[in-house]
Amino acid sequence: ILFTDARANPVLAARRTATQDLLREGVLTEGWRLNPGSDPVAAQVGAALYTGAMAEWAQQWLAGTLGGDLDAVVEYAVQTVLR
């Protein structure tokens, strides 16, 4: 619902934004923990790309375009991210 109906509902839109902000911040925190000397701009760009990709992934899965086997979809996503 946060991804499919958020644009029409201001409360859901705010929650969607907050959820994406939390994901981006979590990615940044983990990235800096694993790579403390990384370039801050590169880290911000990477976190933004990851957050956007996860939002699109969720929308596509909800729309049914990724198939019905959630375990397989998650496995492919993890393999892609860990490359």
Side-chain angles (χ1 to χ4, degrees):
I1 292 173
L2 284 178
F3 295 101
T4 57
D5 296 332
R7 287 175 178 81
N9 182 315
V11 173
L12 291 178
R15 288 185 180 179
R16 176 186 176 159
T17 299
T19 300
Q20 288 179 315
D21 289 347
L22 286 171
L23 176 59
R24 190 184 68 253
E25 289 301 318
V27 169
L28 281 171
T29 299
E30 184 66 8
W32 283 326
R33 184 184 70 78
L34 295 173
N35 302 302
S38 64
D39 180 324
V41 174
Q44 290 281 356
V45 169
L49 290 171
Y50 181 82
T51 301
M54 290 298 102
E56 181 63 21
W57 176 79
Q59 289 178 37
Q60 292 300 315
W61 183 74
L62 290 170
T65 59
L66 301 179
D69 185 354
L70 182 57
D71 288 336
V73 171
V74 169
E75 182 62 30
Y76 292 134
V78 169
Q79 288 175 12
T80 301
V81 168
L82 295 180
R83 283 188 203 173

